[in-house]
Amino acid sequence: MANDDDELDDLLDELDTQGDLETSQQVLSIRTESRRYDKPVTIVEGFDLPTDEIQSIASDLKSSMGTGGTVDEGRIELQGDHRDRVPDLLRERGFDVRE
């Protein structure tokens, strides 16, 4: 029975490794746009993930930045100009970021 647990652990480790590989192969781009009243919005694009995972990443970014934002059409939109901090936070999560 202990052997079954080892096989399961090995399989879970293998699946986790593949997830990291997928993340590192995604190239994200970061840009800003001026919206209503010339307010800047930072946009992160290029995700190839399910919407719930993108929403989780957006939630983490919003908490780290102390700002609002949303997920729209597979991209993250953060209120304000955060081009200086967002790339480092995404790289920590394993993404390749093009600035």
Side-chain angles (χ1 to χ4, degrees):
M1 186 94 85
N3 191 20
D4 290 340
D5 289 340
D6 290 339
E7 289 177 24
L8 180 60
D9 288 340
D10 291 342
L11 180 61
L12 291 173
D13 289 342
E14 183 180 335
L15 289 173
D16 184 45
T17 303
Q18 290 174 352
D20 291 343
L21 184 61
E22 285 180 16
T23 301
S24 68
Q25 290 175 343
Q26 295 183 45
V27 179
L28 304 179
S29 63
I30 300 172
R31 61 186 172 89
T32 58
E33 286 182 1
S34 290
R35 296 276 172 94
R36 179 181 274 185
Y37 308 114
D38 287 330
K39 299 275 183 169
V41 175
T42 303
I43 300 173
V44 183
E45 300 175 300
F47 291 101
D48 186 20
L49 296 171
T51 303
D52 59 332
E53 288 187 43
I54 297 173
Q55 288 174 338
S56 174
I57 294 167
S59 179
D60 290 347
L61 289 175
K62 291 188 297 184
S63 295
S64 296
M65 300 292 178
T67 190
T70 188
V71 174
D72 186 32
E73 297 179 7
R75 65 183 183 203
I76 297 174
E77 298 180 3
L78 300 169
Q79 296 172 353
D81 185 350
H82 301 287
R83 289 177 293 177
D84 54 340
R85 292 178 53 203
V86 170
D88 293 334
L89 293 172
L90 290 171
R91 286 185 185 112
E92 287 175 12
R93 292 183 131 247
F95 290 99
D96 185 12
V97 179
R98 176 182 43 188
E99 296 181 60

